[in-house]
Amino acid sequence: MFRLNEIRDKISDPVRRAQMKSRLAQALKLTESPSGFAAMAGTGLVLVLILNLANDDPLASDNLAEQIAVSQPNEAAGALQAKEPTNEGAALEMAPEAEPAATSAQSYRLKRNETLIGLLLRAGVSSVEAHKAVSVLKDVTNLRRLQRGQVVRIIPATDNQGSIRELRMRDSFEEEAVLVSAEGSYQATRSTITTLPLTHLVEGEITDSLYMSAQRVGLPTPVIVELIRLMSFDVDFEREIRTGDRFQVYFERTYAPDFGDLADGRILHMRLELQKRTLEATYFEDENGRGDYFDTNGHSTRKALMKTPLDVTVVTSSYGKRKHPVLGYTRQHTGVDFRARTGTPIMAAGDGVVERASRYGGYGNYIRIRHNSTYETAYAHLSKYGRGIKAGVRVKQGQIIGYAGATGRVTAAHLHYEVLVNGRHANPLTLKLPTGRKLDSTQLAAFQKVQATLASDIDKILMQQQILQTASVDAADVPASVSAEVERAITADR
């Protein structure tokens, strides 16, 4: 059953109430998926949010989700079907008993240059027990990848001072390493963290660059980079992006209720409204599980080559005849120069094999990639090469192959980018590139259903946002749906 006294106390306390409502309003804004929000509200997971979000320590979870799943098994199973904790190690759990306050979990953060053994010693674990624990944990997690700030939750043993009853270490968003004592030794397993699939919609107007404008309206940086990468097949970011153009991005998110954090995922749909045309791309997986992005007609948005191998581009020198800035005389400029600060990541314009990755005269640090029998691309003046990039290595489209710099015969840091077609230089910005995959009639019908569903979800979300704006949810008013949910839970228990 719900702990109703705790719910009533937290709701009636003015300070807790203001804090709870503010955080709940924020959580509701993140929960834009119509199905995701319905799942949260329908199972009482909103109550978990109320209690957990009002708690200053997100790691001190009371596992209310499990209590709700027990009290409402049919409804809870539907809502939390995305990711349930595994039962691995269930046999290792100790029999339920009243746990003294002194043995509650304590959270520790790994300090700079500190090892896990050092953290355990700091937590009061003996040297012998710390080494025993680490020797077991290394079989279920990569201890070399632990970084400063890693949280480790420890419950000390009450019957053996200096030893561990239970240890939990979240080493990825959806999993944690779990160590428990078992008959004088330790056993370690991996446990899946309960997560809820959500979506998020962000739209806005471009006032300077797409990158800066998207960042200002709250689009996460990794999603912005992916948006630009996907649109770079068709968009000249220097010449086509104008003030007043609009963008819309609908992407996946995963929410971990016990920890109160989010992970941004794949873009589901994107829309870019330019002055002269509108571009759309929707993610679709065929019957074989192969996923890609397609336009409204079912044509892949990916082409043989990206128009620009940078996330944000400003052309400083175009293809064609020009006066060389260093040599001083007019000569053919065989590529396009993009302004780029030293260290700016450079991406492979397409799949292919690295033919050269070395110093090359006035080009400085240089990379040339053969994509197929027709196309090659070249990247010059790099400050350094990407990890593992050398002649003979196969690269994927969008992979970071190097970083912009000012090596070779240059006056400032930039990227010199060339495209060769059948061995002859071509203008990268005007080159007509072949389109990629096209869906057949059966796949197109399935794709159109996906499009319709996403369009419906986006319409509902836009309406939901308008309602939230109109209602102006603040610390004084809990949303009616939440109040009703809490009231129903309390009334049903009487």
Side-chain angles (χ1 to χ4, degrees):
M1 300 297 294
F2 296 121
R3 290 183 284 183
L4 300 179
N5 290 335
E6 184 177 352
I7 294 174
R8 291 191 187 99
D9 290 344
K10 289 193 174 185
I11 291 178
S12 60
D13 186 312
V15 176
R16 284 184 176 273
R17 188 178 181 186
Q19 182 186 52
M20 175 190 74
K21 293 170 183 175
S22 175
R23 295 186 182 183
L24 182 57
Q26 181 181 10
L28 290 176
K29 290 179 181 178
L30 297 173
T31 313
E32 290 182 333
S33 166
S35 57
F37 179 74
M40 289 174 63
T43 64
L45 188 57
V46 170
L47 296 179
V48 180
L49 287 171
I50 290 175
L51 297 179
N52 284 355
L53 291 177
N55 193 327
D56 289 333
D57 183 7
L59 295 174
S61 169
D62 291 325
N63 294 323
L64 291 182
E66 294 180 8
Q67 297 182 32
I68 292 172
V70 172
S71 62
Q72 298 180 343
N74 294 331
E75 295 179 5
L80 300 178
Q81 61 183 347
K83 295 281 176 82
E84 288 289 351
T86 61
N87 289 324
E88 267 190 273
L92 304 177
E93 294 181 359
M94 300 185 68
E97 59 181 21
E99 182 180 303
T103 60
S104 60
Q106 298 293 319
S107 295
Y108 300 87
R109 290 186 181 274
L110 200 64
K111 296 181 179 179
R112 184 176 183 180
N113 298 326
E114 185 179 41
T115 63
L116 181 57
I117 287 180
L119 181 147
L120 294 177
L121 294 175
R122 179 160 54 88
V125 179
S126 70
S127 177
V128 172
E129 296 296 321
H131 281 84
K132 286 167 59 178
V134 168
S135 68
V136 174
L137 277 170
K138 69 181 182 181
D139 293 331
V140 299
T141 185
N142 190 341
L143 299 180
R144 294 181 178 180
R145 292 187 178 181
L146 298 184
Q147 297 181 355
R148 177 183 180 183
Q150 170 71 54
V151 175
V152 180
R153 293 180 292 170
I154 302 172
I155 299 178
T158 55
D159 56 349
N160 186 5
Q161 187 175 5
S163 64
I164 301 169
R165 174 183 169 183
E166 180 179 286
L167 178 150
R168 288 181 175 269
M169 183 169 62
R170 188 190 188 194
D171 51 8
S172 70
F173 184 81
E174 297 180 344
E175 289 189 328
E176 61 182 347
V178 180
L179 177 135
V180 296
S181 61
E183 300 179 356
S185 61
Y186 295 114
Q187 294 189 22
T189 58
R190 294 196 64 77
S191 177
T192 301
I193 295 169
T194 300
T195 59
L196 190 68
L198 307 175
T199 58
H200 192 48
L201 178 70
V202 175
E203 55 182 8
E205 181 177 311
I206 298 175
T207 55
D208 37 33
S209 70
L210 174 59
Y211 185 95
M212 297 300 295
S213 299
Q215 195 173 53
R216 276 193 293 271
V217 294
L219 195 63
T221 298
V223 180
I224 298 175
V225 172
E226 181 67 3
L227 168 67
I228 293 174
R229 189 181 73 83
L230 291 169
M231 287 296 183
S232 65
F233 296 102
D234 291 301
V235 179
D236 180 346
F237 289 102
E238 167 64 14
R239 292 173 170 78
E240 289 192 86
I241 299 295
R242 294 289 182 268
T243 299
D245 292 344
R246 296 192 60 81
F247 60 90
Q248 182 186 80
V249 186
Y250 186 44
F251 61 99
E252 294 176 327
R253 273 184 160 173
T254 304
Y255 178 63
D258 288 344
F259 293 85
D261 58 0
L262 290 158
D264 298 315
R266 178 175 52 209
I267 294 176
L268 297 175
H269 179 78
M270 66 195 97
R271 179 183 177 90
L272 187 59
E273 298 177 7
L274 306 176
Q275 291 186 355
K276 295 183 178 180
R277 58 187 178 133
T278 297
L279 299 172
E280 291 188 69
T282 302
Y283 182 78
F284 173 71
E285 286 187 2
D286 62 18
E287 64 278 8
N288 298 317
R290 184 172 55 163
D292 207 344
Y293 290 88
F294 298 87
D295 63 19
T296 54
N297 298 315
H299 292 273
S300 172
T301 59
R302 299 181 190 270
K303 293 182 172 58
L305 301 175
M306 298 162 61
K307 269 194 173 182
T308 56
L310 294 139
D311 293 337
V312 183
T313 60
V314 175
V315 175
T316 56
S317 185
S318 300
Y319 179 88
K321 294 286 186 178
R322 69 158 188 178
K323 183 177 181 180
H324 195 281
V326 176
L327 301 177
Y329 57 83
T330 300
R331 60 184 294 185
Q332 178 73 10
H333 189 227
T334 56
V336 175
D337 290 347
F338 295 110
R339 181 186 301 163
R341 294 180 179 178
T342 297
T344 300
I346 306 302
M347 297 179 287
D351 295 352
V353 176
V354 177
E355 287 191 321
R356 180 168 188 158
S358 63
R359 194 85 179 185
Y360 188 31
Y363 283 112
N365 292 332
Y366 173 89
I367 294 175
R368 186 171 68 246
I369 300 173
R370 175 166 290 281
H371 302 283
N372 52 35
S373 59
T374 303
Y375 296 101
E376 293 176 274
T377 55
Y379 315 76
H381 310 307
L382 305 177
S383 59
K384 60 179 181 178
Y385 304 103
R387 180 177 298 178
I389 298 300
K390 59 183 179 180
V393 169
R394 182 169 294 278
V395 294
K396 302 293 289 184
Q397 192 170 59
Q399 178 180 337
I400 295 176
I401 56 172
Y403 300 86
T407 58
R409 194 180 297 124
V410 296
T411 57
H414 70 280
L415 170 70
H416 174 80
Y417 174 58
E418 297 180 352
V419 175
L420 295 91
V421 181
N422 294 319
R424 299 174 64 88
H425 288 95
N427 187 341
L429 300 182
T430 60
L431 182 64
K432 298 296 182 183
L433 296 170
T435 58
R437 177 184 170 200
K438 181 180 179 181
L439 298 175
D440 61 31
S441 57
T442 302
Q443 294 170 334
L444 182 60
F447 170 69
Q448 289 171 340
K449 288 183 180 179
V450 170
Q451 276 187 310
T453 299
L454 290 176
S456 176
D457 282 353
I458 291 172
D459 287 342
K460 291 176 183 177
I461 291 168
L462 291 174
M463 183 179 296
Q464 176 181 308
Q465 289 177 345
Q466 291 176 354
I467 293 173
L468 285 175
Q469 290 173 358
T470 302
S472 299
V473 177
D474 58 21
D477 297 304
V478 173
S481 59
V482 178
S483 297
E485 193 69 35
V486 174
E487 185 62 30
R488 278 196 297 272
I490 294 175
T491 303
D493 189 63
R494 289 175 179 169

